[in-house]
Amino acid sequence: MADIKNLNPVEIWRNFDKLTQVPRPSGHLEKIQAYLLDWAKEAGVEGIVNVSFIISENGIVSAIKIKNSKDKNMEAEVLRVVNSMGKWKPGLSKNKPCKSMVEIPVVFKL
């Protein structure tokens, strides 16, 4: 299963300043999780892809990087999905939007 829904944000979100609120995707993580689960089943792959990216003060995703992955197809699909997520709700520091780094381990398990 591609499990990104039940991760503890305190463990996976890192930031440049101390955040009072972590960045959040505007879309539904359940739909993304279900899509990645179906994709992994079709592709017959398992593993973890660690992806990091920057969320700007305006919620724009940039600087997407795969930190580690053992499968180029899983890596490509994670990059495609992150690129297609659109704007995020930015992180807040002292109640003001701020630039933040997000790191998410995407787990593909059959």
Side-chain angles (χ1 to χ4, degrees):
M1 156 169 43
D3 187 14
I4 59 176
K5 177 183 166 194
N6 295 319
L7 296 172
N8 181 348
V10 173
E11 293 174 9
I12 62 172
W13 275 286
R14 300 178 189 197
N15 54 285
F16 298 124
D17 297 313
K18 193 154 187 127
L19 296 180
T20 53
Q21 181 176 320
V22 297
R24 297 278 182 195
S26 296
H28 300 283
L29 284 179
E30 294 83 11
K31 288 182 181 179
I32 295 167
Q33 181 180 8
Y35 168 78
L36 289 171
L37 173 59
D38 290 343
W39 182 88
K41 284 181 181 177
E42 260 185 55
V45 294
E46 286 189 321
I48 299 172
V49 176
N50 289 304
V51 61
S52 68
F53 46 94
I54 302 295
I55 303 297
S56 75
E57 298 88 342
N58 298 320
I60 296 170
V61 177
S62 66
I64 303 167
K65 293 181 184 174
I66 298 296
K67 297 201 70 173
N68 61 19
S69 167
K70 294 186 177 173
D71 183 279
K72 293 292 180 189
N73 292 326
M74 289 189 311
E75 184 177 313
E77 192 58 19
V78 168
L79 286 172
R80 191 191 71 71
V81 168
V82 171
N83 274 310
S84 70
M85 289 179 82
K87 279 190 163 187
W88 282 48
K89 295 174 187 170
L92 299 178
S93 177
K94 298 178 185 172
N95 294 321
K96 293 183 181 179
C98 67
K99 185 185 218 182
S100 306
M101 183 194 303
V102 176
E103 184 174 319
I104 302 174
V106 181
V107 180
F108 293 92
K109 202 170 199 174
L110 299 177

